[in-house]
Structure formats: C-alpha cells, structure tokens
Amino acid sequence: TGTPGSDEIARWSRAAHRWDDLLPLVDQMHPDAGVQLRKALADVDPALRSLVERLGTLYRTTQQMPGTQAATAAHHASIEVAARLREGVEAYEGLVAAAAELIAAAQQAAGLDGIEAPDLQQSVTQIVGPAVLDVQAYTSGLRKAAGTFDPSY
C-alpha cells in the first residue's frame, strides 16, 4: 500500500490518540493500572517514534535521489524498518485493547454502565484483577518488543 510504513504510522497515530480518553478513566478506576500504562507508554513511545523518524529519512532519500543505488538501499531498508514498526504497533494496539477491557470490566463491576450491577460476592479488585493482569502482560510484551528495537539502525 504505497510507502513502506505509512499504514503502520497511521495505526500508531490512531492508537496513541485513544490514550487521551482511556488514561483518565483507567486512573480513576484503577490507579495502579494507570501508573503501569504510563510507564509502558514512556518506554515504548520513544522507540516507535524513532522508527517513524527513520522511515521519514529513508522515504526522503528515495524521493530526493530517484534511480540511484542510495534510493534502492533506502527503499529496502524502509521495508525492514516498517516490519519492526508493524510489530511494535500491534503490541501497542494490544495495550489499548487491554485498557479498554479494563475500563469495561471496572464499569460493569461498579454498575457504571447504566445497568444495576448484580449483587456480587466478590470485591471490585477481585473482579478487575484478571484485567489488570492482562494489562500487565501486555506491558511486559511491549517492554520485550521495545528491547528488540535497535537504536543504532
């Protein structure tokens, strides 16, 4: 679909904009999960941003030096960088999904979805606990993915 990485950049941008809505709700419903999410984002965003910047440089090289060996090499390199960005964006989107699931679970447990919550024998923490573990698992995966980014590329 055109320029290598353009779809991934758009996906990352859309996912990143979701945090403006999601983080305040997570903070309100489960502050520990909010801290965990912010830490994951602080670790991952610079790595993804670096890949996007590399793609921009490679794209400009292909555009400003058409038909040259440099343009060909830059195009091939951009395909490799786009693949790494795709992996990172998929993990990032997984983190957004986990945060949304956490919000839904917390709202349901607290009866905030407009429907009276059932009389539960469990505390909200027990109900939300599995969702928090999911967020933490995604966070761990993102950290591992961030470790695969080679800043010297």
Side-chain angles (χ1 to χ4, degrees):
T1 59
T3 305
S6 61
D7 290 341
E8 290 78 11
I9 293 169
R11 285 173 56 195
W12 179 45
S13 177
R14 286 190 300 269
H17 284 97
R18 298 309 320 132
W19 293 119
D20 293 339
D21 294 333
L22 293 170
L23 279 174
L25 287 172
V26 171
D27 288 338
Q28 176 186 358
M29 295 175 178
H30 207 294
D32 291 341
V35 169
Q36 193 71 7
L37 287 169
R38 288 177 196 285
K39 185 169 180 358
L41 293 171
D43 291 344
V44 172
D45 278 336
L48 293 174
R49 189 171 295 108
S50 175
L51 290 171
V52 169
E53 290 169 359
R54 291 177 203 173
L55 283 170
T57 298
L58 294 167
Y59 174 76
R60 286 186 297 279
T61 300
T62 62
Q63 294 301 302
Q64 294 171 5
M65 300 180 72
T68 66
Q69 183 179 1
T72 301
H75 178 74
H76 291 298
S78 69
I79 292 169
E80 292 176 25
V81 173
R84 283 191 269 161
L85 180 60
R86 185 177 313 109
E87 291 173 6
V89 168
E90 287 170 0
Y92 195 88
E93 288 171 338
L95 187 60
V96 171
E101 290 171 8
L102 176 64
I103 290 168
Q107 284 181 329
Q108 184 178 21
L112 298 176
D113 56 4
I115 301 171
E116 187 174 317
D119 184 18
L120 301 172
Q121 298 293 323
Q122 301 173 328
S123 71
V124 172
T125 302
Q126 290 171 317
I127 295 165
V128 176
V132 172
L133 291 175
D134 287 344
V135 170
Q136 291 170 342
Y138 278 108
T139 300
S140 175
L142 282 172
R143 286 196 181 116
K144 287 179 185 174
T148 64
F149 297 131
D150 181 3
S152 66
Y153 189 86

